Amino acid sequence: MLFCAFLWPSVEANTDAYDLLITNARIVDGSGNPWFRADVAIKDGRIVRIGRIASNTAAKTVDAKGQILAPGFIDVHTHVESVYSLPAAENFVRMGVTSLVTGNCGSSTTDVGQFLGRINEKPLAVNLATLVGHGSVRNKVMGLVDRAPTPEELKQMEGVVEQGMKDGAVGISTGLIYVPGTYAKTDEVVALARVAGRFGGIYATHMRNEGDKVADAIRESIQIGEQAGIPVEISHFKISNKRLWGQTPMTLGLVREARARGLTVTVDQYAYTASSTSLASRMPSWVHAGGFEEAKKRLADKATRERAINDMKDALKRSGFKDYSFAVVASYGPDKSFNGKSIAEITKQVRNKSDVASQIEQILEMYEAGGAGMIYHGMSEDDVKRIMQEPFTMIASDSGVRRADDDSVPHPRGYGNNARVLGRYVRELKLISLEDAVRKMTSLPAQTFGFRDRGLIREGFAADIIIFDENTIADQATFDKPHQYPLGISYVLVNGTVVLANNQMTDARPGAALRGAGYASPVAGK
Ligand SMILES: [Zn+2]
């Protein structure tokens, strides 16, 4: 009977043995193995015992009956450079994320030591790791110029990457569609990735192309990994060219082939058919050389503007979309009424026109007024599913920290990504098993990014733990109403401390900086 334990405490009872005991959970341990039932005891931030554990051995007990206990999710693709201004990182915590990897797509701090060190003065609810971004390094050394580096400049960039790795970066990232990363040729990236590789880092890439030239871009990514001797992570793996929808067997095949040759190549994805990035990314990269003011000057010249417009028309045609109705504004400073509307809708409203040339004029005008954050509905659901089923795919949001009271209409992935996989793709569509989905959010990211004591429910591992109901977990955030937290996740622990309890955020800030292998010393002999 239930009350017996309370009436007859064992003589050996020692409520100090553990800080926290979680009982009656079904454990999905992150390895991909089928669930098992056990209690989990936590002490000093670590999982210290898994098994049948007497209920009176801990200062506090959480009964997880009927729920799943899993490792906290590790989101390897985020943009949380501003996390110290929102230290609760609530949008991540509420979708079960306990560790963030930022510095993606070539954009990061160039002072990794300072960035990670700030956690001591400004504690966070979640753990934080960073890559060192190639674009940021290039900007620091060369500015935004469209040319190859001189040998001296390359050396300086190598120095910045080396320092970043010694300060604890987990690797190097590129954003080869963005300024200034796009101005780098393959050999420059190889040289810098080689430095990160020497310190045990990973090469994470927003590839040069995710559309009509996606296969070439995958080949380039693999080549960089092979030549630089570094594992490759292809970020937000997708096909965003309508004409190539359905080609994921081919693109995934390229990764499989590389792996068959012994190269470490993995990918991540978010569980949506839309991407999100800047409005500027629609424009040809030559327009952006030298920065925003230079670009505006170029666009003020009639002939140059015409050339940009023609390039954009060509790019649109190649992408297989008939106009810009797939491009929706997430945030536009000068006129918030644009938020949530497509470029086609805005052009109709502002210019009473629906032709592509007018839409491009509208884009250029919004760019000149300061630019916009955008959502691009450019992928096919079948491709998203096929990528998700691949064993080497992990789940990552590509999101920043969010404020729920914000008036922007951002991509819902920052609120719903992990819950969406578990609700929609696991429970509703039965595309992958619960255990495999959790693996893609925990041990696979931990293995890939070198977090050796996280991502599994194991004695001795850090107690990053979540408790959720597999029958109710669901994303609530939609493209129309993105600022909504998911359902079904009741507890989140970071380093053994509760940051979400009974669906309520606590004030605890137990997050740690997760530093890469180079922080201690470079890998010997390389
Ligand atoms: Zn990216």
Side-chain angles (χ1 to χ4, degrees), residues 77 79 105 178 206 235-236 398:
H77 194 95
H79 296 280
C105 304
Y178 297 117
H206 180 148
S235 303
H236 40 60
D398 200 2

Side-chain angles (χ1 to χ4, degrees), residues 409-468:
V409 190
H411 197 299
R413 63 197 181 187
Y415 285 96
N417 192 42
N418 301 84
R420 181 172 171 82
V421 170
L422 298 171
R424 174 176 167 78
Y425 293 96
V426 171
R427 185 178 62 240
E428 288 172 19
L429 302 178
K430 299 182 174 36
L431 183 78
I432 54 174
S433 70
L434 173 64
E435 288 84 350
D436 198 36
V438 169
R439 182 187 66 81
K440 290 168 174 294
M441 303 172 185
T442 57
S443 69
L444 180 60
Q447 170 183 300
T448 307
F449 283 74
F451 307 132
R452 282 182 225 116
D453 61 349
R454 291 174 202 272
L456 289 167
I457 301 298
R458 290 278 189 278
E459 290 176 4
F461 270 48
D464 295 343
I465 291 175
I466 66 168
I467 299 173
F468 64 92

Side-chain angles (χ1 to χ4, degrees), residues 77 79 104-106 174-178 205-207 210 235-236 238 270 276-277 398 413:
H77 194 95
H79 296 280
N104 279 286
C105 304
T174 53
L176 299 179
I177 70 157
Y178 297 117
T205 179
H206 180 148
M207 299 189 295
E210 295 176 325
S235 303
H236 40 60
K238 66 168 82 72
Y270 40 82
S276 180
T277 186
D398 200 2
R413 63 197 181 187

Side-chain angles (χ1 to χ4, degrees), residues 69-259:
L69 181 153
F73 301 146
I74 299 171
D75 192 335
V76 299
H77 194 95
T78 74
H79 296 280
V80 297
E81 272 56 46
S82 64
V83 66
Y84 290 109
S85 63
L86 289 168
E90 186 168 357
N91 60 307
F92 286 102
V93 168
R94 283 190 177 271
M95 57 179 178
V97 173
T98 54
S99 297
L100 303 172
V101 180
T102 192
N104 279 286
C105 304
S107 177
S108 75
T109 176
T110 50
D111 190 341
V112 171
Q114 192 268 347
F115 179 72
L116 294 177
R118 265 190 85 185
I119 204 167
N120 298 321
E121 303 110 60
K122 188 88 188 177
L124 306 174
V126 293
N127 304 311
L128 180 65
T130 190
L131 297 149
V132 57
H134 159 255
S136 300
V137 172
R138 199 181 210 268
N139 188 22
K140 183 185 164 93
V141 171
M142 301 173 60
L144 300 174
V145 293
D146 181 2
R147 62 166 171 79
T150 64
E152 181 51 37
E153 286 166 338
L154 185 62
K155 210 173 198 157
Q156 280 182 43
M157 288 197 279
E158 288 172 343
V160 180
V161 173
E162 177 166 341
Q163 192 57 51
M165 295 305 294
K166 285 179 175 167
D167 287 342
V170 291
I172 183 170
S173 76
T174 53
L176 299 179
I177 70 157
Y178 297 117
V179 173
T182 187
Y183 304 137
K185 302 278 192 302
T186 307
D187 58 345
E188 173 185 330
V189 181
V190 168
L192 297 173
R194 188 174 287 133
V195 177
R198 266 200 291 134
F199 292 89
I202 191 169
Y203 172 63
T205 179
H206 180 148
M207 299 189 295
R208 213 176 278 282
N209 193 294
E210 295 176 325
D212 56 330
K213 297 194 179 90
V214 65
D216 289 344
I218 294 169
R219 287 190 195 96
E220 184 192 29
S221 307
I222 293 165
Q223 182 195 341
I224 289 165
E226 188 162 24
Q227 291 183 358
I230 187 170
V232 176
E233 171 83 1
I234 301 179
S235 303
H236 40 60
F237 199 82
K238 66 168 82 72
I239 291 179
S240 58
N241 181 308
K242 200 170 178 180
R243 290 186 182 168
L244 292 185
W245 281 3
Q247 295 280 315
T248 37
M250 179 272 290
T251 56
L252 289 166
L254 293 171
V255 178
R256 279 187 223 129
E257 274 169 34
R259 293 186 60 89

Side-chain angles (χ1 to χ4, degrees), residues 18-45:
Y18 308 119
D19 299 331
L20 180 66
L21 181 64
I22 305 171
T23 58
N24 298 315
R26 280 190 293 142
I27 297 178
V28 173
D29 74 354
S31 68
N33 289 338
W35 64 265
F36 62 101
R37 201 179 290 278
D39 308 320
V40 174
I42 294 157
K43 179 132 183 110
D44 298 332

